[in-house]
Amino acid sequence: MKRKEVVVIIVAVVVLIATAIVLWPRRYEATFYPMGGIPFKIVCYGRNMFQFDGDLSAVEDVVTKLEGVFNRYRKLSEISQLNSSAAVAPVAMSSEFARAFALSQHWYKVSGKAFDPTVGPLVGLWKEAGQSGILPTPYDVQKVKELVGLNGIAISSRDRILFSKQGMSLDFGAIAKGLIVDEAVDALKNRGVGRGVVDAGGDGYAFGDGEFRFGIQDPTAGSGERLLGTVDVMQGAVVTSGNYERYVEIDGKRYSHIIDPRTGYPVENALVSATVIGGDAAGADALATALMVLGVDDGISLLKNLGDFEALFIKKIGTDYEVYASEKLAGRLRLDGEWATRRIEEF
Ligand code: AMP
Ligand code: MG
């Protein structure tokens, strides 16, 4: 064989291998940070490199679009604009906003008002208290609490929303990450992805055949530093709500970022985290926050009424922790390290 022919064959083989690498369907994974510091992880199975590139952009588009709807801390977001004008005149909702509102209404009713999307003014009050270091008086809390409750909101037949009092505000913080994950999953499915996982910093959803293993954040460690263990799930959501990351400190005492809308005060029930397994990500997100408000006993009653969800609670007792888990999780939940030595109370 001439030298030239050898070179041609080598080049052809290299091109073939490179093409196979790019076009061969396999598992792809990527993490990006579109929402502050929250890692947004996407896993797609059976995709080639070009397809996955498109999958990633589709998810990025969804996140960008919905951030512009739900982010209360952006002045020009739909929720910010609506909050600043819906007490003056009815404001039209986008279809995404209307869907979030309808879902929130559902979880408000189901959770006995533990999950309440109108909790905004109380969230603001406690955020300010954290910044100033001064506790609000019971009178302040009572006054602000009067602005909270879905009975203060009217919806017209044309999806227009009206607040009954100046100062009311919506806050989708307890459901928005789940909504974004669900929309990202829809976008992937529409692109033909048959199996995958979307996880926005502890709000995860897996779809397609077979089992998926989710890590559950250790509530006693810093964000993403250590896992408490893992849970194996078929299609569905795994969402954790916790007090370990976001809280304010006033006079040396920690106050949760989750508020009990029924009292007006940050929750104080020894729960450090609640993980919900099942359903869609938005529902699991709302439910996980509701469980944090309700505490273990009322939380278990709610779960038993709902039927379709499993959960894991971590409660702090003095310096120790108690673990409560749905009995259906037996064999699928694996606790690591020190957690493995603790007894699991099944319900
Ligand atoms: P999550 O991390 O999903 O539990 O959501 C917590 C966020 O939801 C908070 O930062 C608030 O913005 C908002 N929030 C706090 N308490 C409640 C509540 N009881 N119901 C609905 N949203 C809440
Ligand atoms: Mg939530």
Side-chain angles (χ1 to χ4, degrees), residues 268-281:
E268 233 178 308
N269 53 20
L271 262 188
V272 283
S273 71
T275 301
V276 170
I277 295 120
D280 54 18

Side-chain angles (χ1 to χ4, degrees), residues 26-31 41-44 52 56:
R26 61 181 183 93
R27 175 189 186 278
Y28 279 94
E29 173 181 329
T31 302
K41 184 170 133 185
I42 298 150
V43 183
C44 294
F52 186 64
L56 261 184

Side-chain angles (χ1 to χ4, degrees), residues 174 285-286 289:
D285 195 353
T289 306

Side-chain angles (χ1 to χ4, degrees), residues 270 272 315-322:
V272 283
K315 195 169 172 176
K316 187 168 186 188
I317 306 293
T319 53
D320 203 11
Y321 294 89
E322 283 177 1

Side-chain angles (χ1 to χ4, degrees), residues 121-298:
L122 286 168
V123 172
L125 175 77
W126 287 98
K127 195 159 263 175
E128 270 170 40
Q131 279 156 4
S132 67
I134 301 166
L135 269 183
T137 64
Y139 177 79
D140 294 336
V141 175
Q142 209 45 45
K143 274 276 150 237
V144 174
K145 198 166 111 24
E146 283 167 16
L147 300 171
V148 173
L150 269 180
N151 52 351
I153 288 187
I155 304 285
S156 79
S157 55
R158 280 159 49 236
D159 270 356
R160 287 172 184 272
I161 196 163
L162 180 67
F163 296 163
S164 64
K165 293 181 196 138
Q166 192 70 44
M168 287 182 69
S169 63
L170 286 169
D171 181 334
F172 290 135
I175 195 171
K177 267 205 288 173
L179 286 161
I180 293 175
V181 167
D182 286 338
E183 285 256 349
V185 167
D186 282 349
L188 292 176
K189 285 183 178 170
N190 286 339
R191 287 183 45 80
V193 181
R195 184 170 197 256
V197 180
V198 175
D199 194 316
D203 275 45
Y205 187 90
F207 61 100
D209 291 338
E211 247 184 2
F212 298 85
R213 179 158 288 179
F214 278 87
I216 304 169
Q217 158 89 35
D218 184 337
T220 64
S223 171
E225 271 175 28
R226 196 170 58 222
L227 294 181
L228 162 127
T230 56
V231 61
D232 294 332
V233 299
M234 306 296 273
Q235 171 146 316
V238 178
V239 175
T240 298
S241 181
N243 277 336
Y244 46 92
E245 269 172 351
R246 286 154 65 204
Y247 51 84
V248 295
E249 221 166 270
I250 307 169
D251 293 336
K253 188 176 161 186
R254 279 187 184 187
Y255 293 88
S256 172
H257 72 296
I258 297 170
I259 313 289
D260 186 340
R262 303 163 306 177
T263 64
Y265 284 83
V267 293
E268 233 178 308
N269 53 20
L271 262 188
V272 283
S273 71
T275 301
V276 170
I277 295 120
D280 54 18
D285 195 353
L287 178 55
T289 306
L291 294 180
M292 287 300 292
V293 173
L294 293 171
V296 173
D297 293 342
D298 291 348

